[in-house]
Amino acid sequence: MREILRSLGEFSLNLVRETGGLTLFLLRSLGLALVPPYRFRRVLEEIHFIGAKSLLIIFLTASFTGMVLALQGYYTLRKFGSESALGSAVALSLIRELGPVLTALMVSGRAGSAITAEIGIMRITEQLDAMDTMAVNPLQYVVMPKLLAGLISVPLLTAIFDVVGILGGYLVGVRLLGVSSGAYFSGMVQSVVSLDVNGGLVKSLVFGLTITLVACYHGYYTGRGAEGVSQATTRTVVLSAILVLAWDYVITSFFM
Amino acid sequence: MIQISDLARSFNGQPVLTGVNLTIPQGKITVIIGKSGAGKTVLLKHIVGLLKPDRGRILINGFDLTRARPRELQEFKRQFGFLFQGGALFDSLTVLENVAFPLREKSRLSEGEILARCRQRLAEVNLPPEVENKYPDELSGGMKKRVALARALIQEPRIILFDEPVSGLDPPMTNTVFHLIAKTHQENQYTGVVVSHDIPAIFQIADYVAMLHKGRIVAFGTPAEIQQVDDPVVQHFLRGEIDFWEK
C-alpha cells in the first residue's frame, strides 16, 4: 500500500514538474518571437521541414482515410436507404475529427521525432552550448522557429488532409459505388457549418503547438548520449499521441 | 582579468568544484591542468556563463557574471570565444557557414566582408580553400579542431576558452594546434584559458599554469614555477604517476 502511494506521489510530482517545465519552456520560447532579431527565414525553413516535407504522407493518409470512410459509410448508409448522405458523413468525420487528429499523429511521427533527435544531438554534441557562447540564444534560433512553424503548418496540412480525404471519398463513393455526384457535394454543403470548420481549425492549432512543443522540449532536455536521444525521441512520439487524443476530447466537448 | 572566488558546484549531490579561487591575468594564456574528472570543463563552462554556480563569484573586468541578468549575460558573451573539446561544429552547416555563423548573427558586416574574413581565418589555421564547402562529418579530427579554432577567433574576442584543444590528435597535429594558438594569441593578445592534460607540450604556450585538484586550485604560477612546486599532488601529476590519485 505504501509502495503504491509512493509511486502515485512520484507520478504526480513528475506530472506537475513536466507540465510546469513545458509551460515555462513554451512561454520563454514564444516570448522570443517578439524580440529582435526576428527569425523569418528560420521560420520559413522550419515550415518547409514540418509542412512541405509532410505533404506526401498527408496526401497518402488522407486519400486512404477518405476512401475507407466512403466505403464503410456507403454500406452502412445503404441499410437505411441514405446513400445520399455519404458526402456529409465523410466531410463531417474528416473536418471535425479525423483530419486534425490523423494529421497531428502523422506530423508527430514524421517531424516530431526528427525534431527531438535533431535538437537532442545538438545538445549532446554541445552545439547548443556553442551557440550560447556566441551570444545567440538557442531557444530563439532553434526552438522558437519550430514552434511557430508547427502552429502554421499543421492547420494548413489539416486543411489539405480534409480536401484530399473528401476527394478520396468522392473517388470511392461516386466513381466506384455509384452515389450521385450532386448528392455527395450538396449533402456536404448543407451539413457542414462554420462551427465544424472552426472546431477543426482550433484543434489543428492546438495539436500543431503541442507536437512541436513536446518534440523541442524533449530534445532540449535530452539525457546523455545516444541512449538519451533515443529515449527522448520515443517519449516525444508517445506523449504527443496521448496529448493529441486528450486535447481532442477536451476541445470536442467544448465545441459540442 | 578574470577573478574567480570560492566557486562551488555540485551535480546530483556530487561535489565537483568545492571552492575555486583563481585570478586569470589579462592578455595572457593560463593553462588549467588536472586529472580527468577534476572539474576543468565545468570550471570553463562557469567562466563563460553556461553553468550557474551553487556558491561563489566570477568577475570579468569588474562584471559579475554570476549575478548578471540573462539578457546582460547574453550580451556579455560576445566577448568570448570557446573552443569545445569535440569542436561543437554545427553539423547542418558547411565549414564556411560554421565560421561565418557568429558574424552573420552578431555583426553588421556585408556578406562579402564576412566571406573574406572567414576565408582569411581558415587560411590562418592552415585549411585549404577546398574544405570550405565540406560538412563537419567529412573532416578529420585535426581539421575539425582547426575549423572550431577559426570560428572561435572570427569575432576577435577578448577572451578565448579552449577545452582540451588537442585531445585525440597525433603529435604533429598537436604541435600545429598549439602553434596556431600561440600565433593567434601573439596577433590578437586575447586572454586565453586552456584546459589540457598535454604535459609538457602545453608549457610551450602557457604564460601561467593552474592545477585543479579535488575541486580546488592547488597550485598556480608560471610553467617554471609550477615545476618547482613541492606539493606531491602537483609533482605526481606532472610526472604522470597515476596510481597516486587512487590513494
Side-chain angles (χ1 to χ4, degrees), chain A residues 25-36 140 144 147, chain B residues 71:
Chain A
F25 186 76
L26 173 69
L27 294 177
R28 278 166 59 205
S29 305
L30 279 187
L32 290 166
L34 309 171
V35 180
Q140 193 180 33
M144 180 273 288
L147 294 178
Chain B
R71 186 159 278 267

Side-chain angles (χ1 to χ4, degrees), chain A residues 32 35-37 39 42 118 121-122 125-138 140-141 224, chain B residues 41 45 48 50 71 74-75 77-78 80 82 84-86 88-92 101-102 105-106 151 155 163:
Chain A
L32 290 166
V35 180
R39 305 278 182 187
R42 290 278 305 118
E118 180 196 337
I121 288 169
M122 288 183 83
T125 55
E126 297 182 307
Q127 293 176 51
L128 295 178
D129 285 344
M131 211 173 268
D132 203 344
T133 61
M134 294 171 204
V136 175
N137 189 335
Q140 193 180 33
Y141 188 87
R224 285 167 192 270
Chain B
T41 300
K45 288 191 173 178
V48 78
L50 282 174
R71 186 159 278 267
Q74 195 73 25
E75 279 310 299
K77 283 177 184 167
R78 296 175 79 152
F80 289 106
F82 198 121
F84 285 84
Q85 194 172 348
L89 297 174
F90 303 126
D91 48 20
S92 58
F101 185 86
E105 285 296 320
K106 291 291 163 187
R151 189 177 69 178
Q155 282 185 296
D163 187 8

Side-chain angles (χ1 to χ4, degrees), chain A residues 12-256:
Chain A
S12 308
L13 281 175
N14 278 339
L15 190 70
V16 171
R17 196 178 297 125
E18 188 97 336
T19 311
L22 273 165
T23 310
L24 286 175
F25 186 76
L26 173 69
L27 294 177
R28 278 166 59 205
S29 305
L30 279 187
L32 290 166
L34 309 171
V35 180
Y38 303 109
R39 305 278 182 187
F40 296 119
R41 196 188 155 85
R42 290 278 305 118
V43 175
L44 286 177
E45 284 169 4
E46 294 302 336
I47 289 175
H48 174 72
F49 175 70
I50 297 172
K53 287 191 169 178
S54 299
L55 274 175
L56 181 64
I57 196 168
I58 292 299
F59 262 88
L60 286 172
T61 319
S63 48
F64 285 116
T65 305
M67 284 157 75
V68 81
L69 267 178
L71 201 59
Q72 290 273 16
Y74 176 80
Y75 288 109
T76 309
L77 289 168
R78 202 173 64 168
K79 287 180 189 164
F80 307 101
S82 315
E83 299 97 317
S84 56
L86 184 67
S88 49
V90 169
L92 284 175
S93 309
L94 284 169
I95 293 169
R96 282 184 186 169
E97 285 300 325
L98 293 175
V101 171
L102 289 181
T103 303
L105 294 178
M106 288 297 128
V107 172
S108 159
R110 197 203 71 81
S113 52
I115 288 171
T116 303
E118 180 196 337
I119 300 179
I121 288 169
M122 288 183 83
R123 166 64 70 205
I124 63 171
T125 55
E126 297 182 307
Q127 293 176 51
L128 295 178
D129 285 344
M131 211 173 268
D132 203 344
T133 61
M134 294 171 204
V136 175
N137 189 335
L139 284 180
Q140 193 180 33
Y141 188 87
V142 178
V143 174
M144 180 273 288
K146 292 185 195 297
L147 294 178
L148 289 185
L151 210 52
I152 295 166
S153 305
V154 174
L156 291 174
L157 288 172
T158 303
I160 292 167
F161 190 107
D162 292 346
V163 171
V164 174
I166 287 167
L167 291 177
Y170 173 85
L171 202 70
V172 170
V174 177
R175 297 282 165 187
L176 210 68
L177 300 170
V179 174
S180 142
S181 171
Y184 186 82
F185 285 111
S186 68
M188 202 180 295
V189 171
Q190 279 164 17
S191 59
V192 176
V193 293
S194 62
L195 192 68
D196 301 319
V197 179
N198 291 343
L201 179 68
V202 170
K203 280 182 184 180
S204 61
L205 282 167
V206 173
F207 295 165
L209 192 60
T210 303
I211 296 162
T212 41
L213 173 65
V214 168
C216 291
Y217 180 77
H218 284 122
Y220 203 82
Y221 296 108
T222 191
R224 285 167 192 270
E227 198 185 336
V229 177
S230 119
Q231 284 171 354
T233 310
T234 309
R235 269 205 307 274
T236 289
V237 176
V238 173
L239 188 63
S240 297
I242 292 170
L243 286 177
V244 162
L245 295 172
W247 272 122
D248 186 42
Y249 177 77
V250 172
I251 300 168
T252 304
S253 60
F254 184 76
F255 273 89
M256 280 295 176

